[in-house]
Amino acid sequence: MAYIIRRLLLMIPTLFGIILLNFLIVQIAPGGPVEQMIAKLQGISTSATERFSGGGNDGTATQMMQQQLTGSGASGGAGKYRGAQGLDPAFIADLEKQFGFDKPLGERFFLMMKNYLMFDFGQSYFRDRGVVDLVFEKMPVSISLGLWTTLLVYMISIPLGIRKAVRDGSAFDIWTSGVIIAGYAIPGFLFAIFLIVVFAGGKYFDVFPLRGLVSENWEELSWPRRILDYLWHMTLPVLSMVISGFAGLTILTKNSFMEEINKQYVLTARAKGLPERKILYSHVFRNAMLVVIAGFPAALMGIFLTGSPLIETIFSLDGLGLLGFESALNRDYPVMFGTLYIFTLLGFLIKLISDLTMTWVDPRIDFNAQGAR
């Protein structure tokens, strides 16, 4: 319990530091939300002006925007923003107030952190939606991809890694190593394109759907057919993410088992005449799996944060990865920092769960004792 409390307390300054570092980096980067809006308005984008005026169709508001862009006697006092020359400084001030840039940098950061502690992530700059609403709307797609991919990766990698360790140097080990190297070398997005070309009507077969999480008539289907339809849509995206995910975990599992198999306690167990299967799964498995379990949080979060954006884009899956990618491009700061805060907090909690799982697998591990030293 003391270890859990200590880890929970350590999360607070760590989370604070991560958000602070990213906040400062983003402030330095050019192309902030004010510049983004100016660029859209300079192109006389009707959608942008509607978004700025609250999403309405008021022609007067749009006309006023265009009058501001023509200069209307402006002195161009907004030189700190690229492309803002000739715009009325009052108009720029209104934009800054809308996005919260009328406040000092430190005040904006601590106000943001205060709201985040209350899980108030604010509104998206450009989507006219709450950040929490957007996250919950996109979460089912990313959860589906992450959980199915992680499940399949572990189901493939652990048995395969154990078998490669037991049959080290055999033809099976050499052949499967070639497959693993190929899987590791092929990027997930490239394999996704290959699957589309071959199996999604690209050139050869039209077996799987090309886009979406479910079919358009999903609501009209019976529950068994809904499940099948969902799995049918998830097949190609999940395979695309599994192909590069299983390679590293398989090698890690094999190396962990090889290291344990060569230890003295295994030789002693064999000398006592214990069956090889009992030695492998009653003694070696428990020790070798510690490293694999310790890597679970990184594997899961890596699938969410690294693999999902590209796969979601290719298969038109509107999930958290694509949301974060588009928010970074558009400098949608509430969505950027809100998702960063949520993902970081989830990563810390998953890591804590992983440590507790390690103590469950091997009760000899005592994190409290390690912390005491």
Side-chain angles (χ1 to χ4, degrees):
M1 182 58 69
Y3 171 75
I4 296 175
I5 295 174
R6 188 165 60 248
R7 286 291 300 272
L8 291 174
L9 292 175
L10 185 61
M11 289 180 189
I12 298 174
T14 306
L15 183 61
F16 181 87
I18 291 173
I19 299 296
L20 175 61
L21 179 62
N22 283 271
F23 181 83
L24 294 176
I25 291 174
V26 166
Q27 303 307 311
I28 298 172
V34 175
E35 290 176 301
Q36 293 275 337
M37 183 59 72
I38 289 172
K40 291 176 182 179
L41 293 175
Q42 290 284 19
I44 316 297
S45 171
T46 304
S47 60
T49 54
E50 287 178 354
R51 212 177 288 131
F52 178 77
S53 60
N57 295 317
D58 187 359
T60 304
T62 303
Q63 186 178 5
M64 290 174 62
M65 288 288 184
Q66 293 175 348
Q67 288 176 355
Q68 296 286 356
L69 294 173
T70 60
S72 58
S75 60
K80 63 179 179 178
Y81 295 113
R82 189 185 310 174
Q85 292 78 8
L87 296 182
D88 189 347
F91 172 67
I92 300 298
D94 289 340
L95 277 178
E96 290 180 330
K97 185 176 182 180
Q98 180 194 9
F99 293 118
F101 284 83
D102 56 330
K103 300 180 179 65
L105 186 68
E107 183 180 348
R108 280 191 281 128
F109 175 76
F110 284 105
L111 180 62
M112 181 183 73
M113 290 304 300
K114 177 184 175 182
N115 293 332
Y116 282 9
L117 290 175
M118 305 299 294
F119 291 95
D120 178 8
F121 301 104
Q123 295 282 121
S124 168
Y125 284 159
F126 304 110
R127 295 173 182 260
D128 197 25
R129 298 276 304 280
V131 174
V132 174
D133 294 335
L134 284 171
V135 169
F136 277 109
E137 179 184 323
K138 314 297 183 182
M139 190 173 288
V141 174
S142 296
I143 288 178
S144 296
L145 285 173
L147 290 182
W148 282 114
T149 302
T150 305
L151 178 63
L152 287 177
V153 164
Y154 272 74
M155 288 178 64
I156 295 171
S157 300
I158 292 176
L160 181 59
I162 294 174
R163 189 164 181 82
K164 284 176 64 64
V166 173
R167 302 184 61 180
D168 182 48
S170 66
F172 172 82
D173 181 40
I174 296 173
W175 178 80
T176 52
S177 294
V179 175
I180 290 171
I181 292 172
Y184 188 78
I186 299 175
F189 72 91
L190 189 62
F191 190 65
I193 296 173
F194 169 77
L195 292 177
I196 289 174
V197 171
V198 177
F199 297 108
K203 189 174 181 180
Y204 299 99
F205 305 102
D206 190 5
V207 180
F208 296 97
L210 182 59
R211 56 187 301 128
L213 189 62
V214 293
S215 300
E216 294 182 359
N217 64 335
W218 188 79
E219 295 289 344
E220 303 172 5
L221 301 176
S222 61
W223 275 108
R225 295 190 63 185
R226 286 185 183 184
I227 295 173
L228 291 176
D229 181 77
Y230 164 76
L231 295 175
W232 182 47
H233 280 76
M234 291 299 298
T235 299
L236 295 188
V238 170
L239 284 178
S240 304
M241 297 176 69
V242 167
I243 188 66
S244 58
F246 87 98
L249 186 59
T250 301
I251 297 300
L252 177 63
T253 304
K254 178 188 175 182
N255 291 339
S256 298
F257 272 80
M258 288 290 297
E259 182 180 355
E260 293 297 323
I261 287 174
N262 294 323
K263 287 186 175 179
Q264 185 61 43
Y265 75 91
V266 176
L267 300 177
T268 302
R270 286 172 177 167
K272 292 181 178 180
L274 292 178
E276 191 69 22
R277 188 176 184 85
K278 185 174 182 180
I279 295 174
L280 185 63
Y281 290 102
S282 296
H283 300 280
V284 176
F285 184 85
R286 183 178 63 180
N287 296 324
M289 285 302 295
L290 291 175
V291 178
V292 177
I293 292 173
F296 178 79
L300 183 60
M301 297 306 294
I303 289 170
F304 272 118
L305 300 178
T306 306
S308 293
L310 287 174
I311 301 302
E312 288 175 8
T313 302
I314 292 172
F315 290 98
S316 300
L317 299 173
D318 195 8
L320 289 174
L322 186 58
L323 174 66
F325 177 71
E326 292 178 346
S327 300
L329 290 180
N330 296 327
R331 302 297 193 273
D332 196 346
Y333 290 166
V335 179
M336 288 175 58
F337 292 120
T339 53
L340 175 65
Y341 184 92
I342 293 171
F343 273 125
T344 305
L345 188 59
L346 285 176
F348 288 154
L349 294 176
I350 291 175
K351 176 60 177 169
L352 177 60
I353 293 172
S354 175
D355 290 345
L356 297 177
T357 305
M358 290 178 66
T359 62
W360 174 71
V361 173
D362 189 351
R364 295 173 298 175
I365 297 177
D366 188 355
F367 289 107
N368 290 319
Q370 293 179 9
R373 291 197 299 268

